[in-house]
């Protein structure tokens, strides 16, 4: 699915012929040029049990495949979702050798037009995690799933991610209660949403290039526009914004600054100005990447100030140049990785 932010259908045709949509953000959906790739799969070895033993939530792992010695893909049959969900996991360095040990967990959430493969496809997170003793968990979050339990009943992404998946990681992968969550674009919103709604669940939360305030008119308009292109009505997600303002506020990070007390928060966004890291992107991709990022810094700055005013430990990286694209998120991942590992240790 390719999303056009301009009304002229000729612009839509130009974008779809030159770029691949990889993440949904605040002010447009992200279009990037990325190379074709292949993902190798293998039959599961003896490292992870493949039986369908249920966790106490009713969710169960129905299949596991090994991509390499430490990277696994698993299929989870979710009671909350009433369907199966894919999850990619990078095992800690000592996971196989120290079988009585438990490990911290880093959850990494993808953008609105991507899936659970995006972080390993677009970044070198596997190399970053090579010597780590942390479980890296990259679950699918759906196309425009908004990391929420939907008002209409299903999907129930929040329950899957924060209850079912957490329990499965504890029971089957020896995860402990030390957790961090980070995400980009829609996944950045998801990370903040989960941290605010589940106080104490995460020690650290990082949001890259994400909308942070659902009350901003531009956010509501553009989320509605991009969701409609996918056939999603936001009333299905959080109800009518006038009639169910309570639900919208309950999922609005900016409306709940005190909920982040006790969690270290990191926020980052670019200026929208293209730079050397955008070299090779076509003109349409640069336009969309710029438009998707331009309004973010001001909103992020206001949110950070609100968090600080109530005593939340927050850091920011508002950089220039910077568009809504993977090279900047890869760089940001490297910048925050030492802090993430420190907070989880």
């Amino acid at each position: 699915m390719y999303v056009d932010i301009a009304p002229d259908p000729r612009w839509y045709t130009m974008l779809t012929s030159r770029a691949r949509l990889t993440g949904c953000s605040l002010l447009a959906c992200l279009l990037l040029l990325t190379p074709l790739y292949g993902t190798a799969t293998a039959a599961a070895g003896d490292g992870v049990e493949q039986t369908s033993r249920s966790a106490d939530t009713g969710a169960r792992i129905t299949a596991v495949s090994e991509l390499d010695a430490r990277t696994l893909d698993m299929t989870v049959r979710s009671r909350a979702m009433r369907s199966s969900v894919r999850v990619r996991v990078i095992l800690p360095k000592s996971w196989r050798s120290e079988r009585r040990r438990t490990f911290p967990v880093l959850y990494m959430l993808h953008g609105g037009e991507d899936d659970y493969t995006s972080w390993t496809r677009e970044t070198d997170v596997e190399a970053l995690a090579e010597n780590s003793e942390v479980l890296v968990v990259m679950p699918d979050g759906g196309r425009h799933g908004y990391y929420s339990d939907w008002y209409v009943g299903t999907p129930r992404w929040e329950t899957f991610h924060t209850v079912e998946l957490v329990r499965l990681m504890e029971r089957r992968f020896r995860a402990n209660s030390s957790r961090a969550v980070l995400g980009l674009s829609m996944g950045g919103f998801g990370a903040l949403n989960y941290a605010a709604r589940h106080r104490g669940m995460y020690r650290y939360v990082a949001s890259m290039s994400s909308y942070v305030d659902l009350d901003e008119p531009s956010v509501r308009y553009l989320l509605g526009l991009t969701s409609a292109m996918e056939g999603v009505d936001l009333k299905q997600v959080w109800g009518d914004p006038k009639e169910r303002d309570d639900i919208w506020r309950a999922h609005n990070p900016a409306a709940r600054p005190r909920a982040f007390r006790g969690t270290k928060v990191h926020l980052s966004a670019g200026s929208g100005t293209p730079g050397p890291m955008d070299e090779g992107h076509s003109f349409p991709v640069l336009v969309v990447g710029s438009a998707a990022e331009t309004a973010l810094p001001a909103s992020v700055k206001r949110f950070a100030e609100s968090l600080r005013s109530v005593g939340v430990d927050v850091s920011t990286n508002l950089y220039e140049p910077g568009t809504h694209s993977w090279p900047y998120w890869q760089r940001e991942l490297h910048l925050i990785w030492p802090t993430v590992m420190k907070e989880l240790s």
Side-chain angles (χ1 to χ4, degrees):
M1 172 67 182
Y2 299 91
V3 175
D4 169 24
I5 63 168
D8 188 341
R10 294 173 296 178
W11 178 250
Y12 176 86
T13 301
M14 177 168 59
L15 289 179
T16 58
S17 66
R18 299 188 186 183
R20 179 175 62 84
L21 192 63
T22 62
C24 179
S25 173
L26 159 76
L27 303 170
C29 287
L30 166 64
L31 286 163
L32 295 173
L33 289 176
T34 53
L36 296 175
Y37 66 96
T39 302
T41 59
D46 60 1
V48 179
E49 183 183 353
Q50 282 201 86
T51 61
S52 298
R53 184 177 65 190
S54 296
D56 55 4
T57 61
R60 65 188 188 274
I61 299 172
T62 58
V64 177
S65 61
E66 294 187 356
L67 305 187
D68 57 43
R70 288 176 55 191
T71 307
L72 312 172
D73 277 357
M74 64 182 186
T75 302
V76 178
R77 181 65 188 178
S78 165
R79 177 177 290 178
M81 293 290 293
R82 299 180 185 176
S83 63
S84 293
V85 183
R86 301 298 300 276
V87 182
R88 181 160 291 179
V89 178
I90 301 174
L91 299 173
K93 182 179 179 181
S94 301
W95 191 83
R96 297 184 190 276
S97 61
E98 299 185 32
R99 293 185 176 269
R100 294 184 178 273
R101 182 176 177 181
T102 63
F103 298 91
V105 190
L106 169 62
Y107 292 92
M108 301 180 69
L109 309 181
H110 65 76
E113 291 287 340
D114 224 315
D115 60 28
Y116 72 103
T117 68
S118 65
W119 285 102
T120 55
R121 188 184 70 235
E122 304 288 354
T123 75
D124 62 348
V125 63
E126 290 167 294
L128 279 174
E130 183 176 2
N131 294 312
S132 79
E133 297 293 2
V134 171
L135 281 157
V136 180
V137 181
M138 297 160 281
D140 205 82
R143 293 170 67 89
H144 296 277
Y146 294 108
Y147 296 98
S148 300
D149 286 357
W150 284 27
Y151 180 69
V152 294
T154 56
R156 297 175 64 201
W157 289 110
E158 181 177 352
T159 297
F160 172 70
H161 290 138
T162 64
V163 179
E164 292 182 336
L165 186 58
V166 167
R167 298 284 178 81
L168 282 173
M169 296 310 298
E170 290 172 348
R171 292 166 65 95
R172 300 290 297 278
F173 288 86
R174 290 178 276 128
N176 60 36
S177 61
S178 179
R179 308 180 192 94
V181 60
L182 64 82
L184 60 86
S185 196
M186 186 189 76
F189 163 78
L192 294 171
N193 187 40
Y194 288 171
R197 290 175 57 78
H198 300 271
R199 295 185 65 173
M201 177 170 280
Y202 309 99
R203 294 186 178 187
Y204 181 94
V205 56
S207 174
M208 307 176 190
S209 298
S210 173
Y211 46 92
V212 297
D213 189 355
L214 295 180
D215 283 340
E216 290 188 4
S218 60
V219 173
R220 292 199 178 192
Y221 172 76
L222 287 161
L223 286 181
L225 176 65
T226 54
S227 296
M229 291 177 176
E230 279 288 311
V232 174
D233 183 346
L234 286 179
K235 292 179 182 179
Q236 296 178 315
V237 183
W238 298 308
D240 184 278
K242 293 182 179 179
E243 297 176 0
R244 298 316 309 261
D245 178 66
D246 57 327
I247 297 178
W248 282 72
R249 289 186 64 80
H251 290 84
N252 185 3
R256 310 184 65 199
R258 288 179 173 81
F260 292 91
R261 286 175 172 170
T263 300
K264 186 175 178 62
V265 179
H266 179 76
L267 307 169
S268 63
S271 65
T273 305
M277 296 177 73
D278 294 286
E279 186 176 350
H281 288 173
S282 68
F283 178 72
V285 172
L286 289 176
V287 170
V288 174
S290 295
E293 200 80 3
T294 298
L296 290 176
S299 181
V300 167
K301 185 177 180 180
R302 287 193 297 270
F303 181 45
E305 291 172 349
S306 175
L307 291 173
R308 291 189 183 105
S309 72
V310 295
V312 176
D313 184 359
V314 58
S315 59
T316 60
N317 183 20
L318 302 178
Y319 47 86
E320 185 176 4
T323 62
H324 201 76
S325 56
W326 278 103
Y328 297 98
W329 300 328
Q330 155 89 350
R331 183 181 67 184
E332 193 68 18
L333 182 62
H334 275 254
L335 288 173
I336 67 173
W337 189 263
T339 302
V340 176
M341 295 300 104
K342 179 181 178 181
E343 293 297 321
L344 284 173
S345 65

